[in-house]
Amino acid sequence: MTTRNVQPEFRMVTPHGRGAIATIVLSGEDGIVIEAFNRHFRRAGSNQTGFPLNRILYGTWGRQVPEDVVVCRTDEDCIELHCHGGQAAIGRITTDLECFGIRRSESDSVACIAEDDTRLHRDLSRALINAPTFRTAEILLQQSAGLLRSALEDALDSDRRVARLEQLLLRAEFGVGLTRFRTVVLAGRPNVGKSSLMNALAGFFRSIVFDEPGTTRDAVTLRTAFDGWPVELIDTAGIHDAISEVEREGVSRARERMNTADCVCILIDRSEPLCRDDRELLDAWPNAVVVAHKSDLADICGKDLPSTALPVSSLTRDGIDALVRELVDTLIPDVPAPGTALPINAYQVDLIRQALEATRQGADDIAVQLIRSCIE
Ligand code: GDP
C-alpha cells in the first residue's frame, strides 16, 4: 500500500463503524513519522530501534497506559499501524500523532485507491470502503463484479440506451443510499419512553433513562443495523410545551431533525390519556410510524390512537420485532432483486440523468461521452 506524500499525514484505512481492529497509515518524507514512532512506540521484548522495511513488529503505543499495536513499515516513508478498533484506542493514538504535527488526511481510506484505475472502479472501491454493513457491501460487490459496468456499456448502444438509463435512474435512491445510514427520529413528549425504546431497538443500554420529564435535552444518536440495513436512531428532546430556554432550544432542534429525517417515529404513552402535545404531533406528521408505547400497561388511549399504531413495550420487548419490520419497510420500501445494476453515487446519477436528457434531444455523441465519463 504505497501512499507517497511530502506532508506528514495519517489516514484511517478501516471504515467507520464498530470493528475489532483499526488500521492507520502514516506517510511523509521528512522523517517526522519515524520520529513520532520513536517517541511513542516500544517494541515488545527488544531494545532494538528502527523500522526495517516489511518487518511486522509487535509492541505498544504510549508510556503510561500502553496500547497494544502491530506496525509495519511498508515503504521508505510509509508505516502502517494496527490497533484495537475501539474509539478510545484510535482517539488516543491519533491525538498523539496530531500533537506531533502529523495531520489527519481529509481523504482517509479513499486515498489508498490507485489513481490509475478507471473512474468506475475507483467509485466502486470508495463505496465498498464506506459500506456500513455486510448486506450493503454484498450488493456493492455485485456491482463491482461487472454488473454496473455491463449496464453502462449496454447504455452506449443507441437502441437500448433510453430503457437502460431509465432503469438505472429508477434505482438511484437505493444505490446511492447503500453507503449511508438512514435516519429515524424518535419523537414524543417527555417520559413517553424514547430513550428506553432506543435502547430496546439497539439491543443494549445506552442513553440516560430517568423518570422525570425532560431528561433528554438534545439528541442522542446511535448507529445500528436493522436486517442488515444501516440505520441511525435519533432520540430527541421531548416535544412539549417547553418552559425553560434550554428546553425550548431542545424542542426546536428536535423539530429540525424531524424535518430532515428519513423516517419519523412518534411515541404515544398508551397508559395515559392522549394530550394536546400528542395530538399536535400526530396531526403534523401524518406519515409517521406511530408506536402505542408501554403496551405492558393498561390501554387508556384506545380508539384515540391511529388504527395503524403498533403496540410496543420497551420493558418486555413485546412488539419490538414488528416495529423493526415496519421501520425497514418505511425506510427501504423496494429492495431490487439480486443481480440488478444500480448507480452508486451522486456523480453517476447526475451523468446518467444528463445522458438521458441528451439522448432524448438527439445529442447521441454527448450522451455517449457522458456515459463513458462514468466508466473511464
Ligand atoms: P423519554 O423521556 O421519552 O426518553 O422516556 P424514558 O425512556 O426516559 O422513560 C421514561 C419512564 O418510562 C422510565 O421510568 C421508563 O422506565 C418508563 N418506560 C419506558 N418504556 C416503558 C415501557 O415499555 N413500559 C413501562 N411500563 N414503562 C416504560
Side-chain angles (χ1 to χ4, degrees), residues 10-30:
F10 69 88
R11 57 178 63 101
M12 302 296 308
V13 296
T14 31
H16 52 76
R18 287 176 227 164
I21 302 283
T23 302
I24 304 171
V25 173
L26 294 99
S27 55
E29 286 175 0
D30 66 0

Side-chain angles (χ1 to χ4, degrees), residues 171-370:
R171 294 149 197 157
E173 198 184 330
F174 178 83
V176 175
L178 290 169
T179 45
R180 75 179 185 93
F181 285 79
R182 282 155 167 97
T183 51
V184 176
V185 165
L186 302 179
R189 61 191 166 83
N191 235 23
V192 77
K194 296 179 296 299
S195 310
S196 308
L197 182 62
M198 175 138 155
N199 293 327
L201 285 170
F204 63 92
F205 188 85
R206 154 81 190 259
S207 52
I208 318 158
V209 178
F210 188 55
D211 206 355
E212 180 184 300
T215 309
T216 314
R217 297 286 183 218
D218 194 6
V220 175
T221 63
L222 192 148
R223 288 181 163 189
T224 185
F226 290 159
D227 201 16
W229 302 114
V231 173
E232 182 172 273
L233 299 170
I234 304 170
D235 171 9
T236 58
I239 302 278
H240 63 301
D241 263 344
I243 299 162
S244 72
E245 186 61 29
V246 181
E247 278 185 345
R248 270 200 294 277
E249 179 62 22
V251 171
S252 126
R253 285 199 209 166
R255 288 194 201 281
E256 263 172 51
R257 285 174 192 272
M258 289 167 80
N259 282 326
T260 54
D262 292 302
C263 170
V264 172
C265 176
I266 296 175
L267 282 77
I268 307 288
D269 182 344
R270 75 166 209 180
S271 69
E272 290 180 7
L274 214 62
C275 70
R276 201 189 64 188
D277 288 327
D278 294 330
R279 286 183 206 282
E280 278 177 7
L281 258 182
L282 291 171
D283 288 347
W285 303 92
N287 297 325
V289 171
V290 181
V291 169
H293 204 211
K294 307 194 185 178
S295 65
D296 52 295
L297 302 177
D299 182 5
I300 305 289
C301 292
K303 291 202 165 39
D304 284 346
L305 282 180
S307 57
T308 49
L310 293 165
V312 174
S313 167
S314 297
L315 211 63
T316 63
R317 295 191 59 82
D318 274 349
I320 292 287
D321 289 348
L323 174 59
V324 167
R325 277 197 300 279
E326 180 67 23
L327 291 174
V328 169
D329 287 349
T330 307
L331 291 168
I332 307 148
D334 296 308
V335 180
T340 305
L342 325 151
I344 47 101
N345 62 22
Y347 171 83
Q348 291 174 356
V349 174
D350 190 37
L351 261 61
I352 291 170
R353 265 203 195 109
Q354 289 183 46
L356 184 60
E357 191 59 32
T359 310
R360 285 187 174 138
Q361 289 174 4
D364 271 11
D365 288 357
I366 295 177
V368 166
Q369 219 177 334
L370 287 162

